[in-house]
Amino acid sequence: MAAEVAGDEPHGLTLLRDWIAQDRQPPMGTTLGFRLVEAERGRAVFEGTPDRSVYNPLGGVHGGYAATLLDSACGVAVASALGEGMGHTTLELKVSYLRGLSERSGTVRAEGRLVSLGRRVAFSEARLTDGDGRLCATATSTLLVFEAAHGRPGTFQQ
């Protein structure tokens, strides 16, 4: 893994902060109406406001919406600690749903935190809260860490 000198900002974090400053968002965030709003080493926060476009046939927000926010927060928390030339991809995501979401949930917030980063595997966790700060879902994630080839999935695109 590209080593980082203590105190230096990891390359992944630099890219994430640039995205936020330039109001750049991943295409999926645009499609589902959520955005990266905070990033620091080992931590990432996404926010979105669910509406009827993400409802399931039963009339509530589809669980995939929450899972996507949680997966994004877990993955970007890992990315924020990676050096130049490194990438990652989710190997496993476990989501626990505690409270349903609807268009009345307000702005939801998925906060991811890096738990452990090794040479080949990273572990992270995330919490999803609604507009009133109530816990709606949690996730844990295992991610593969690898040397990234330009254009390979899991590689930051400049």
Side-chain angles (χ1 to χ4, degrees):
M1 180 169 6
E4 296 294 335
V5 177
D8 284 353
E9 185 172 283
H11 182 70
L13 181 56
T14 300
L15 291 177
L16 293 167
R17 286 185 171 160
D18 287 349
W19 283 12
I20 293 169
Q22 298 168 16
D23 198 29
R24 290 181 58 207
Q25 297 295 323
M28 184 174 39
T30 301
T31 300
L32 293 178
F34 67 84
R35 60 192 310 100
L36 176 65
V37 296
E38 295 177 31
E40 58 189 59
R41 187 188 304 240
R43 183 175 166 274
V45 179
F46 284 85
E47 289 183 348
T49 306
D51 60 25
R52 291 188 174 277
S53 71
V54 294
Y55 270 33
N56 63 31
L58 300 175
V61 171
H62 192 282
Y65 178 82
T68 301
L69 278 161
L70 290 164
D71 184 42
S72 298
C74 283
V76 172
V78 170
S80 70
L82 294 180
E84 188 169 7
M86 300 305 294
H88 67 84
T89 191
T90 302
L91 292 174
E92 177 182 54
L93 180 72
K94 181 190 182 300
V95 178
S96 295
Y97 299 96
L98 307 169
R99 177 184 301 275
L101 298 175
S102 73
E103 61 188 350
R104 294 179 308 280
S105 295
T107 299
V108 297
R109 182 175 171 91
E111 183 171 344
R113 184 181 72 84
L114 175 64
V115 173
S116 175
L117 176 60
R119 291 181 52 195
R120 300 287 294 155
V121 176
F123 299 93
S124 60
E125 60 190 15
R127 297 169 43 94
L128 181 70
T129 54
D130 67 13
D132 291 327
R134 295 177 296 198
L135 185 61
C136 298
T138 62
T140 57
S141 183
T142 305
L143 301 99
L144 175 67
V145 176
F146 53 85
E147 286 190 44
H150 183 69
R152 179 177 176 178
T155 306
F156 278 113
Q157 303 298 310
Q158 300 270 349

